[in-house]
Amino acid sequence: MALHLTGLGPDDIAEVVDCLLLGAEHTADTNGELAARRLSLAHRIGDALDELPATP
């Protein structure tokens, strides 16, 4: 599945990843399934960001 975002730059998406990681950390002790889901999303989005061409 592909995701097309308009109006958001790589820095904006990186902030979303940071929020997912923080959310995973906060729920790790109380809801491991949710924490794992957030970590998975963060890593998948992060990997996609890494594949983007570098901007000057």
Side-chain angles (χ1 to χ4, degrees):
M1 175 170 57
L3 176 65
H4 179 78
L5 298 172
T6 57
L8 297 174
D11 290 341
D12 299 320
I13 304 304
E15 188 171 346
V16 170
V17 170
D18 288 343
C19 289
L20 284 167
L21 293 172
L22 182 61
E25 183 180 324
H26 281 282
T27 58
D29 292 337
T30 58
N31 191 337
E33 188 175 319
L34 178 59
R37 174 74 175 141
R38 289 174 176 172
L39 281 174
S40 174
L41 287 170
H43 290 295
R44 288 169 46 202
I45 294 169
D47 290 346
L49 280 176
D50 291 341
E51 292 181 21
L52 291 176
T55 56

